[in-house]
Coordinates of all heavy atoms in Angstrom, one line a residue:
L54 N -13.8 75.3 21.5 CA -14.7 75.4 22.6 C -16.1 75.2 22.1 O -16.6 76.1 21.3 CB -14.6 76.8 23.3 CG -13.3 77.0 24.1 CD1 -13.4 78.4 24.6 CD2 -13.2 76.0 25.3
E55 N -16.8 74.2 22.5 CA -18.2 73.9 22.0 C -19.1 74.8 22.8 O -18.9 75.1 24.0 CB -18.5 72.5 22.2 CG -19.9 72.1 21.7 CD -20.2 70.6 21.8 OE1 -19.3 69.9 22.0 OE2 -21.4 70.3 21.7
A56 N -20.2 75.3 22.2 CA -21.2 76.1 22.9 C -21.8 75.4 24.1 O -22.1 74.2 24.0 CB -22.3 76.5 21.9
T57 N -21.8 76.1 25.2 CA -22.5 75.6 26.4 C -24.0 75.7 26.3 O -24.4 76.8 25.8 CB -22.0 76.3 27.6 OG1 -20.5 76.3 27.6 CG2 -22.5 75.7 28.9
K58 N -24.7 74.7 26.7 CA -26.2 74.8 26.6 C -26.8 74.6 27.9 O -26.4 73.8 28.7 CB -26.6 73.7 25.6 CG -26.1 74.0 24.2 CD -25.9 72.7 23.4 CE -25.1 73.0 22.1 NZ -23.7 72.7 22.3
A84 N -25.1 82.6 31.2 CA -24.5 82.8 29.8 C -23.5 83.9 29.8 O -22.5 83.8 29.2 CB -25.7 83.1 28.8
N87 N -20.3 82.7 31.4 CA -19.6 81.8 30.5 C -19.0 82.5 29.3 O -17.8 82.2 28.9 CB -20.5 80.7 30.0 CG -20.8 79.7 31.1 OD1 -20.1 79.6 32.1 ND2 -21.9 78.9 30.9
N88 N -19.7 83.4 28.7 CA -19.2 84.1 27.5 C -18.0 85.0 27.9 O -17.0 85.1 27.2 CB -20.3 85.0 26.9 CG -21.4 84.2 26.3 OD1 -21.1 83.1 25.8 ND2 -22.6 84.8 26.2
N91 N -15.1 82.6 28.4 CA -14.6 82.2 27.1 C -13.8 83.3 26.4 O -12.8 83.0 25.7 CB -15.8 81.7 26.2 CG -16.3 80.4 26.7 OD1 -15.7 79.7 27.5 ND2 -17.5 80.0 26.2
H102 N -11.6 78.6 19.3 CA -12.8 79.3 18.7 C -13.9 79.3 19.7 O -14.2 78.3 20.3 CB -13.2 78.4 17.5 CG -14.5 78.9 16.9 ND1 -14.7 80.1 16.3 CD2 -15.8 78.4 16.9 CE1 -15.9 80.3 15.9 NE2 -16.6 79.2 16.3
N103 N -14.4 80.5 19.9 CA -15.4 80.7 21.0 C -16.8 80.3 20.5 O -17.3 80.7 19.5 CB -15.4 82.1 21.4 CG -16.5 82.4 22.5 OD1 -16.6 81.6 23.4 ND2 -17.1 83.6 22.3
G104 N -17.5 79.4 21.3 CA -18.9 79.0 21.0 C -19.8 79.7 22.1 O -19.5 79.7 23.2
C105 N -20.8 80.4 21.6 CA -21.6 81.2 22.5 C -22.5 80.2 23.4 O -22.8 79.1 23.0 CB -22.5 82.2 21.8 SG -23.9 81.5 20.9
H106 N -22.9 80.7 24.5 CA -23.8 80.0 25.4 C -25.2 80.0 24.8 O -25.7 81.0 24.3 CB -23.9 80.6 26.8 CG -24.6 79.8 27.8 ND1 -23.9 79.3 28.9 CD2 -25.8 79.5 28.0 CE1 -24.7 78.6 29.6 NE2 -25.9 78.8 29.1
L107 N -25.9 78.8 24.7 CA -27.2 78.7 24.2 C -28.2 78.3 25.2 O -28.0 77.3 25.9 CB -27.2 77.7 23.0 CG -28.5 77.6 22.2 CD1 -28.9 78.9 21.5 CD2 -28.5 76.5 21.2
I108 N -29.3 79.0 25.3 CA -30.4 78.7 26.3 C -31.5 78.1 25.5 O -32.0 78.6 24.5 CB -30.9 79.9 27.0 CG1 -29.7 80.5 27.8 CG2 -32.0 79.6 27.9 CD1 -30.0 81.9 28.3
A153 N -24.6 88.7 15.5 CA -24.4 88.0 16.8 C -25.3 86.7 16.8 O -26.4 86.7 16.2 CB -24.7 88.8 18.0
S154 N -24.9 85.7 17.6 CA -25.7 84.5 17.7 C -26.8 84.8 18.7 O -26.6 85.5 19.7 CB -24.8 83.4 18.2 OG -23.8 83.1 17.3
P155 N -28.0 84.2 18.5 CA -29.0 84.3 19.5 C -28.7 83.5 20.7 O -28.1 82.4 20.6 CB -30.3 83.7 18.7 CG -29.7 82.8 17.7 CD -28.4 83.4 17.3
L156 N -29.0 84.0 21.8 CA -28.7 83.3 23.1 C -29.8 82.4 23.5 O -29.6 81.4 24.3 CB -28.5 84.3 24.2 CG -27.1 85.1 24.2 CD1 -27.2 86.2 25.2 CD2 -26.0 84.2 24.5
L270 N -20.9 88.7 24.3 CA -20.5 87.8 23.2 C -19.2 88.3 22.5 O -19.0 89.5 22.3 CB -21.6 87.7 22.1 CG -22.9 86.9 22.5 CD1 -23.9 87.1 21.4 CD2 -22.6 85.5 22.8
N271 N -18.4 87.3 22.1 CA -17.2 87.6 21.4 C -17.6 87.6 19.9 O -18.3 86.7 19.4 CB -16.1 86.6 21.6 CG -14.8 86.9 21.0 OD1 -14.7 86.9 19.8 ND2 -13.8 87.2 21.8
S274 N -17.9 84.5 17.7 CA -19.0 83.5 17.8 C -20.0 83.7 16.7 O -20.9 82.9 16.6 CB -19.6 83.6 19.2 OG -20.3 84.8 19.3
S275 N -19.9 84.8 16.0 CA -21.0 85.1 15.0 C -21.1 84.0 13.9 O -22.2 83.8 13.4 CB -20.7 86.5 14.3 OG -19.5 86.4 13.7
S277 N -21.1 81.0 14.2 CA -21.9 79.8 14.7 C -23.3 80.0 14.8 O -24.1 79.2 15.3 CB -21.3 79.3 16.0 OG -21.5 80.3 17.0
K278 N -23.8 81.2 14.3 CA -25.2 81.5 14.5 C -26.2 80.4 14.0 O -27.0 80.0 14.8 CB -25.6 82.8 13.8 CG -27.0 83.2 13.9 CD -27.3 84.6 13.2 CE -28.7 85.0 13.4 NZ -29.1 86.2 12.7
T281 N -25.9 76.8 15.9 CA -26.3 76.5 17.2 C -27.8 76.7 17.4 O -28.4 76.5 18.5 CB -25.6 77.5 18.2 OG1 -25.9 78.8 17.8 CG2 -24.2 77.2 18.3

Side-chain angles (χ1 to χ4, degrees):
L54 289 176
E55 186 177 342
T57 306
K58 295 150 192 97
N87 285 342
N88 291 335
N91 288 347
H102 173 69
N103 178 41
C105 75
H106 191 110
L107 184 65
I108 298 167
S154 298
L156 285 170
L270 289 173
N271 188 291
S274 67
S275 60
S277 64
K278 179 178 180 182
T281 57

